[in-house]
Amino acid sequence: MSRVYNFSAGPAVLPEEVLKEAAEEMMDYRGCGMSVMEMSHRSKMFDTIIKEAEQDIRDLMNIPDNYKVLFLQGGASQQFAAIPMNLMKNKKAGYVVTGQWAKKAFQEAKLYGEAIELASSADETFSYIPDCSDLDIPDDLDYVYICENNTIYGTKFKTLPNTKGKDLVADVSSCFLSEPIDVSKYAVVYGGVQKNVGPAGMVIAIVREDLITDDVLPGTPTMLKYKTQADADSLYNTPPCYTIYICGKVFKWLKKMGGLEAMKAHNEKKAKILYDFLDESKLFKGTVRKEDRSLMNVPFVTGDADLDAKFVAEAKAAGFENLKGHRTVGGMRASIYNAMPIEGVEKLVEFMKKFEAENS
Ligand SMILES: *Cc1c(COP(=O)(O)O)cnc(C)c1O
């Protein structure tokens, strides 16, 4: 068996320990004679799996009691619609547009009401986070929406916007569980799990209870109503059982690693190795304003598209996979999520140094 260093933005690297455990339990999950993939979602076995997963993420994120944790299908993109459907009481919401995912959410919201662009960093190819300390926020705004970590452009909000008392909704797909957050500052915080938490096919939405009501936009599908899912403890219909099981294992792995404070320290150390090199390199450079750099997604370029392509090809041959930048941006991107070991980043930097020496 040989594993590569996988820098994919998502689906992405998972902890080896978790994969091994899942492999061991594949044929016979804890003496029940079947795989988790084969068992009823109404069984006692699965009930324990989903309840433990919920408790573990509550412990990790210190989620207050007045928030529900929902395990939902449809990915993060489905939430682009579910959020306005559930939250747009005045049919007016404000969006901070910091990249492609924020833009998609913004455009989707326009299908359901008035969506206002509160700020944007489109003028400089989303290479920074706009100042959100004094946004022009209308009184009747239902919520302020951000994409907290921009997977494609590699920026991250280091301070949350001043919403002037309005509810804050955040897509944290690509920084989920990478560091502690104060859940009480958000009305809804959600993320697709395939970036930093588990296999594709699920989004976890953490929703403040007072927002979970029958007062949703007319025509909201039953499945997209938070109340449907909350009332049924995420078991309204068959949930993505196997994904929930793997996420549960990742939560336990995170607890064992020391929780989110420890993860943050680990991620900072890891990102610093790469950013320090990018800052001193004569060939490679980072594309993001320093103070807005993500700990999870690190885009960089040589400034020469042919050389970028050569780098990606040679890196792949050397066992560093998925370093090609997003198709809309070009260049390179290293996604260094929780499960990427420090050694993976150290070896990548070593390889980049060698490539630089050979190509300048
Ligand atoms: C990947 C990603 C999405 C889209 O996720 P899907 O699960 O594919 O819908 C949305 N937002 C962010 C920040 C992402 O990184």
Side-chain angles (χ1 to χ4, degrees):
M1 183 194 70
S2 124
R3 303 255 308 157
V4 295
Y5 288 112
N6 180 8
F7 294 92
S8 171
V13 58
L14 288 169
E16 281 194 11
E17 245 177 88
V18 166
L19 297 176
K20 278 186 193 143
E21 240 183 70
E24 279 159 18
E25 292 174 347
M26 180 62 76
M27 300 303 285
D28 177 6
Y29 178 73
R30 302 191 183 172
C32 74
M34 63 178 96
S35 151
V36 173
M37 261 184 254
E38 303 168 293
M39 66 177 60
S40 164
H41 60 295
R42 309 278 176 207
S43 65
K44 190 127 191 64
M45 277 284 184
F46 188 73
D47 186 61
T48 305
I49 290 172
I50 192 170
K51 290 226 168 85
E52 272 187 29
E54 175 172 347
Q55 192 53 53
D56 286 335
I57 192 176
R58 281 189 177 277
D59 296 345
L60 280 167
M61 294 180 73
N62 202 10
I63 299 174
D65 289 343
N66 64 323
Y67 284 76
K68 288 274 191 217
V69 176
L70 307 176
F71 299 112
L72 308 171
Q73 301 189 53
S77 301
Q78 182 80 285
Q79 293 303 305
F80 297 169
I83 287 157
M85 284 175 162
N86 284 276
L87 267 49
M88 260 192 181
K89 315 291 179 197
N90 297 318
K91 292 205 167 199
K92 198 186 240 185
Y95 282 71
V96 180
V97 180
T98 51
Q100 189 166 299
W101 296 117
K103 201 162 141 192
K104 281 191 168 166
F106 176 49
Q107 280 162 350
E108 190 73 9
K110 287 181 189 171
L111 300 174
Y112 304 102
E114 190 186 344
I116 302 167
E117 184 180 280
L118 297 173
S120 166
S121 51
D123 59 341
E124 289 179 36
T125 354
F126 301 117
S127 59
Y128 71 103
I129 297 289
D131 179 4
C132 295
S133 59
D134 187 19
L135 300 168
D136 188 7
I137 294 181
D139 272 349
D140 57 347
L141 208 66
D142 290 308
Y143 59 86
V144 172
Y145 181 101
I146 62 166
C147 177
E148 196 160 325
N149 185 80
N150 295 279
T151 325
I152 296 172
Y153 296 95
T155 59
K156 158 111 204 294
F157 280 82
K158 302 291 163 79
T159 45
L160 295 176
N162 175 1
T163 64
K164 302 183 177 169
K166 300 296 177 199
D167 280 336
L168 178 66
V169 175
D171 174 356
V172 296
S173 295
S174 48
C175 58
F176 216 178
L177 302 173
S178 65
E179 58 184 283
I181 62 167
D182 180 353
V183 174
S184 71
K185 293 199 167 127
Y186 305 81
V188 178
V189 55
Y190 77 95
V193 299
Q194 76 274 27
K195 306 292 160 71
N196 206 17
V197 186
M202 185 164 77
V203 55
I204 299 177
I206 301 161
V207 185
R208 211 179 56 224
E209 259 168 14
D210 61 286
L211 297 165
I212 303 177
T213 69
D214 285 314
D215 179 21
V216 297
L217 295 186
T220 298
T222 308
M223 281 282 291
L224 292 192
K225 236 168 88 172
Y226 288 143
K227 186 149 194 311
T228 307
Q229 303 288 354
D231 286 351
D233 293 325
S234 303
L235 291 166
Y236 172 74
N237 70 332
T238 320
C241 301
Y242 199 77
T243 294
I244 291 169
Y245 157 75
I246 298 290
C247 287
K249 287 200 181 298
V250 172
F251 300 156
K252 290 200 189 294
W253 176 77
L254 285 166
K255 279 182 147 178
K256 207 170 93 186
M257 297 290 285
L260 301 191
E261 281 294 351
M263 227 44 233
K264 182 182 185 194
H266 173 74
N267 287 328
E268 281 173 345
K269 194 169 155 197
K270 220 162 53 181
K272 188 172 186 303
I273 296 169
L274 189 46
Y275 283 126
D276 281 353
F277 171 66
L278 290 173
D279 288 343
E280 74 181 33
S281 168
K282 293 202 168 52
L283 181 64
F284 297 101
K285 62 174 192 302
T287 56
V288 170
R289 187 165 76 183
K290 277 190 190 174
E291 55 272 35
D292 300 327
R293 284 169 164 176
S294 164
L295 292 181
M296 297 282 101
N297 312 99
V298 183
F300 55 96
V301 294
T302 65
D304 172 344
D306 291 337
L307 203 54
D308 287 351
K310 184 171 184 239
F311 174 78
V312 171
E314 289 183 14
K316 184 178 165 69
F320 305 98
E321 286 275 350
N322 292 313
L323 282 166
K324 195 167 185 289
H326 189 268
R327 59 196 146 80
T328 59
V329 189
M332 281 75 70
R333 172 179 50 175
S335 294
I336 49 176
Y337 296 121
N338 286 345
M340 171 60 64
I342 270 188
E343 169 203 89
V345 176
E346 285 168 348
K347 292 210 168 137
L348 174 64
V349 167
E350 244 171 70
F351 179 81
M352 289 167 79
K353 283 183 179 160
K354 184 168 143 277
F355 184 89
E356 179 166 342
E358 289 165 2
N359 290 275
S360 49

